[in-house]
Amino acid sequence: MRDELIKGYVKAFGAMPDMLYFSPGRVNIIGEHIDYNGGKVLPMGISLGIYGAITWRGDSLCRCVSEGFNHEAIYEFDLKGYSESDDFTKYIKGVLYVLTKYKGAKFDHGFDLYMTSTLPASSGLSSSAALELLISHIVNDEYKLGLSNLDCVLMSQAAEREYAHVNCGIMDQFAIGMSEKDKVILLDCATVDYSYFDFKLDGATLVIINTCKPRNLSESKYNERRAECEAALKVLKAKYGKNTLCEYTMAELDSVKDKLTDNLYRRARHAIREEIRVEEATKAMQEGRLKDLGLLLNGSHKSLKEDYEVTGLHLDTIAEELQKSPIVLGARMTGAGFGGCAIALINSTNKDEINKLMDDTNEIYHEKTGIYYKYYYCESSDKTGKME
């Protein structure tokens, strides 16, 4: 990829780049739609990601090329004054905006930036967060801002929320900015306490399946789900006083059921039960009980389908068809839903066997949806940083 990255930069800007960076995507093993409800999640950085080649300029112009967005076009903005846009540069501008707002950064020289990606856009693997972390690290290095990895995570989250207008939790940026190779992160999204443990599959394989049905978070029902959770929390908090939805028990939720609509009850039920699944999945992974982990993945998908209603035909077809296979331990959607990606934990390391399963399932998927999915073997990755 290094040679392709340099070649792309030279084609775009007619010179060699000064620095190369990589920012991984992320996959969440389990713990969906509870990061913003104060829950625990089990994400990791993955080897699919965004690559950036950059040279700093002497003036205030920023020129950006994204092969994934439109590799022929150069998108420009000036540090002396820029406006919001609907293209990928909104994430770049967002990082600059929040670093100025919260860290007092002063940007006086721009850059030529070329990016290419192995991470499918709008797929639920956090391409926007990967881009935000990429820019945070690039700017931190050049301007010697002294930001820690966690600072870069928090600034990237602020960029998504305040500039891209997606009311996201902390998980995506944290998983990308804090990941370690061959590790899974147990992250408490309420306290930002975290720990690592080994990503050991012991004869199994984790596969990512891209529905190839893109969705835009800011145009989806993501913010609606957040609002529903906040409404349910308000009722629970009035009686019990606890600050986040995932702190509550099912008994406490049931005690206020008559004060909630059916939708609000089911949204809260998903959050509370998903928190329990994360705790059980953590123990199962640590103890090597992959069959139990697979059952928890299946339970997560069922809850996301029936209680949280964020799956849909494409994700349901993938998860439910794969769950029928005797070599699949578990399958579920991952990410925000409404399209995007699913994951499958397969009790095999034989790629011929796995490929046949995935190809056969793809034919069923095509019959039901009219499109084909793409799939990727999942490997963990280190956090965002310079390429050595």
Side-chain angles (χ1 to χ4, degrees), residues 9 13 18 54-64 77-80 82 92 96 106-113 138-139 142-143:
Y9 182 94
F13 299 114
D18 288 341
I54 190 166
T55 296
W56 292 91
R57 299 172 59 90
D59 57 22
S60 58
L61 186 65
C62 297
R63 301 195 300 168
C64 310
F77 63 94
D78 198 301
L79 292 173
K80 293 179 180 178
Y82 52 85
I92 300 172
L96 300 176
K106 299 184 185 299
F107 303 115
D108 58 8
H109 56 281
F111 49 79
D112 290 339
L113 173 65
I138 287 173
V139 172
E142 171 65 15
Y143 280 91

Side-chain angles (χ1 to χ4, degrees), residues 280 283-294:
E280 293 177 349
K283 294 177 183 177
M285 288 191 74
Q286 290 173 323
E287 296 169 5
R289 293 184 284 110
L290 296 185
K291 183 177 180 179
D292 291 339
L293 175 61

Side-chain angles (χ1 to χ4, degrees), residues 4-20:
E4 294 176 25
L5 181 61
I6 293 172
K7 183 179 178 181
Y9 182 94
V10 171
K11 181 180 178 182
F13 299 114
M16 291 290 287
D18 288 341
M19 298 298 298
L20 307 178

Side-chain angles (χ1 to χ4, degrees), residues 352-383:
D352 289 338
E353 182 179 34
I354 296 171
N355 289 340
K356 184 178 188 308
L357 167 66
M358 299 309 299
D359 292 343
D360 289 347
T361 305
N362 210 355
E363 292 301 324
I364 299 172
Y365 179 75
H366 180 258
E367 289 176 9
K368 292 188 176 183
T369 67
I371 59 176
Y372 287 101
Y373 62 60
K374 296 180 181 179
Y375 63 95
Y376 318 89
Y377 289 91
C378 185
E379 297 180 6
S380 64
S381 171
D382 282 323
K383 62 184 72 69

Side-chain angles (χ1 to χ4, degrees), residues 188-258:
D188 186 326
C189 296
T191 63
V192 200
D193 291 333
Y194 64 97
S195 58
Y196 298 95
F197 58 92
D198 292 339
F199 178 59
K200 292 181 179 178
L201 292 181
D202 295 329
T205 301
L206 190 66
V207 177
I208 298 173
I209 308 100
N210 180 7
T211 62
C212 296
K213 176 186 179 293
R215 84 282 182 275
N216 186 314
L217 282 187
S218 62
E219 295 173 358
S220 73
K221 294 186 178 180
Y222 177 88
N223 288 335
E224 179 184 310
R225 292 294 179 275
R226 288 205 61 158
E228 290 170 334
C229 289
E230 289 165 3
L233 174 61
K234 184 176 180 180
V235 173
L236 281 161
K237 191 174 181 180
K239 183 172 183 178
Y240 295 104
K242 291 184 280 190
N243 291 322
T244 63
L245 202 50
C246 287
E247 292 180 82
Y248 289 92
T249 65
M250 279 304 303
E252 289 168 336
L253 177 62
D254 287 340
S255 75
V256 298
K257 186 175 182 180
D258 61 337

Side-chain angles (χ1 to χ4, degrees), residues 65-84:
V65 175
S66 172
E67 184 176 337
F69 192 83
N70 185 337
H71 68 279
E72 298 295 336
I74 296 178
Y75 290 77
E76 297 184 357
F77 63 94
D78 198 301
L79 292 173
K80 293 179 180 178
Y82 52 85
S83 57
E84 293 187 24

